[in-house]
Amino acid sequence: MRTSSTEKARRTTASRRLRALLPAVGVALLLVAVWEWYVRASGIRPQVLPPPSRVLAQGWDHRADLAGHAATTLQVTLAGFAVSLVVSWILAVAVDFSPTLRRAFVPLFVVSQTLPIIAIAPLMIIWFGFGLLPKILVIALATFFPMTIGLIEGFAAADRDASALLRSMGAGRRQEFRYVRLPSALPRFFTSLRIGITYAVVGAVFAEYVGATSGLGIYMATQKNSFRTDLVLAAVAVTAAVSLLLYVLTYAAERVVAPWALSPGTRS
């Protein structure tokens, strides 16, 4: 009976999620239909604005090239985001344990986000060449801020009564961090993680666009120079698909690491 009720609950949740997606899917299909109609009705050249049907057809014909470049971009994205993740945790934990470091570093974190990536990325290429390192640095610079601030604010939002109770029982600062502050920070962390992962893909593509030997960014640049707008848009669609996949995977990670952090609408 318990298995049957659990399976029924899962099906109900899945059905509710599908219904929630219908408005967004409907709007997307409408926009695509209007785009297709406009291109065909106006007679605009495909080099300027190809119809969605052409983008889809050309993307399928060049799927092998797109898949290869997408794999490179995904590799760069994951490498840069992993570095950003480690740095974010180290900085956030250090700041949480030291008010002096908070006053010293948090303003610098904010200032780092005023640096335009469009200006920093070419400098990274000049300084470090066309290898993996400059791309990792660009991605880390673009993504560490939301995750670091999310963790810092999550630690600070810990239940003060629970912290006081632990201290009254003789717990030290590390025990308080482990049992109160860390669980409190995870919901905000995963929210900022979802923001960061989308920034990571954009950062990787932009770094490749500035200078690379492979990846969706350099593929877009090459096709733009060849006036293949259809393939540029196909690469954009692949980039969006990669971003969406990584975004969804953050929910899977959250379900494993911090199931209590999921909102009621996402629980199964």
Side-chain angles (χ1 to χ4, degrees), residues 59-235:
W60 178 257
D61 290 342
H62 294 79
R63 60 188 180 277
D65 289 340
L66 285 168
H69 287 287
T72 300
T73 297
L74 182 60
Q75 178 185 3
V76 171
T77 299
L78 294 179
F81 196 66
V83 171
S84 179
L85 198 60
V86 172
V87 171
S88 297
W89 274 93
I90 292 174
L91 291 176
V93 172
V95 164
D96 185 64
F97 273 83
S98 173
T100 302
L101 290 180
R102 175 187 291 269
R103 292 191 296 269
F105 282 135
V106 170
L108 295 180
F109 297 159
V110 176
V111 170
S112 71
Q113 296 308 292
T114 65
L115 302 175
I117 297 298
I118 193 171
I120 294 299
L123 293 177
M124 293 294 181
I125 300 297
I126 293 173
W127 292 337
F128 302 106
F130 292 92
L132 185 61
L133 180 59
K135 301 174 186 62
I136 289 178
L137 293 177
V138 169
I139 294 169
L141 185 61
T143 59
F144 90 96
F145 177 78
M147 291 187 294
T148 304
I149 295 301
L151 280 170
I152 292 173
E153 292 182 351
F155 293 145
D159 190 335
R160 295 183 178 180
D161 292 336
S163 297
L165 177 61
L166 277 181
R167 288 195 297 269
S168 69
M169 297 172 65
R173 183 65 173 82
R174 293 184 180 180
Q175 286 75 22
E176 178 193 350
F177 178 84
R178 176 181 177 184
Y179 294 110
V180 178
R181 301 180 77 83
L182 179 58
S184 173
L186 287 179
R188 296 196 184 195
F189 166 69
F190 277 102
T191 298
S192 59
L193 184 73
R194 282 184 270 278
I195 298 172
I197 197 63
T198 55
Y199 285 177
V201 178
V202 173
V205 170
F206 187 79
E208 292 168 347
Y209 196 92
V210 173
T213 56
S214 63
L216 290 172
I218 193 65
Y219 182 82
M220 292 180 197
T222 302
Q223 300 306 323
K224 175 184 70 69
N225 294 335
S226 301
F227 299 98
R228 291 301 305 271
T229 311
D230 48 1
L231 291 179
V232 173
L233 292 175

Side-chain angles (χ1 to χ4, degrees), residues 29-44 49-53:
L29 291 176
L30 177 61
L31 291 176
V32 169
V34 171
W35 176 6
E36 182 82 23
W37 168 82
Y38 171 77
V39 171
R40 295 186 179 278
S42 64
I44 192 170
L49 181 64
S53 57

